[in-house]
Amino acid sequence: MRQRVRWWKVLGLAGLAGVAASGVVIARAERRRRAYTPEEIRERLRERHAQANEAADSQSPQT
């Protein structure tokens, strides 16, 4: 009976560590995302828009 309780404790602690680690990863990604200036965001959106237009133009049938 004692051995079974220990395994549950180990599994519980491992799960808790996993939740904490994923929280750290999410926080870092959020910080990195918020580090962009508004002008950098606009520039990236313009680049994506231009790429999307190029892709759409290349896939449309030529008449």
Side-chain angles (χ1 to χ4, degrees):
M1 178 97 170
R2 266 190 105 131
Q3 198 68 5
R4 180 176 286 160
V5 173
R6 287 183 186 165
W7 280 108
W8 283 109
K9 285 182 183 179
V10 170
L11 288 175
L13 289 174
L16 186 62
V19 169
S22 59
V24 168
V25 169
I26 291 170
R28 283 184 183 171
E30 184 69 16
R31 242 182 284 136
R32 195 175 302 133
R33 185 183 68 79
R34 289 184 180 193
Y36 293 119
T37 64
E39 188 55 42
E40 288 173 325
I41 294 171
R42 282 187 209 99
E43 182 180 325
R44 295 178 113 204
L45 287 172
R46 288 179 186 131
E47 288 173 5
R48 288 183 189 173
H49 185 261
Q51 289 173 353
N53 281 341
E54 288 173 8
D57 289 343
S58 68
Q59 291 179 356
S60 64
Q62 301 283 331
T63 57

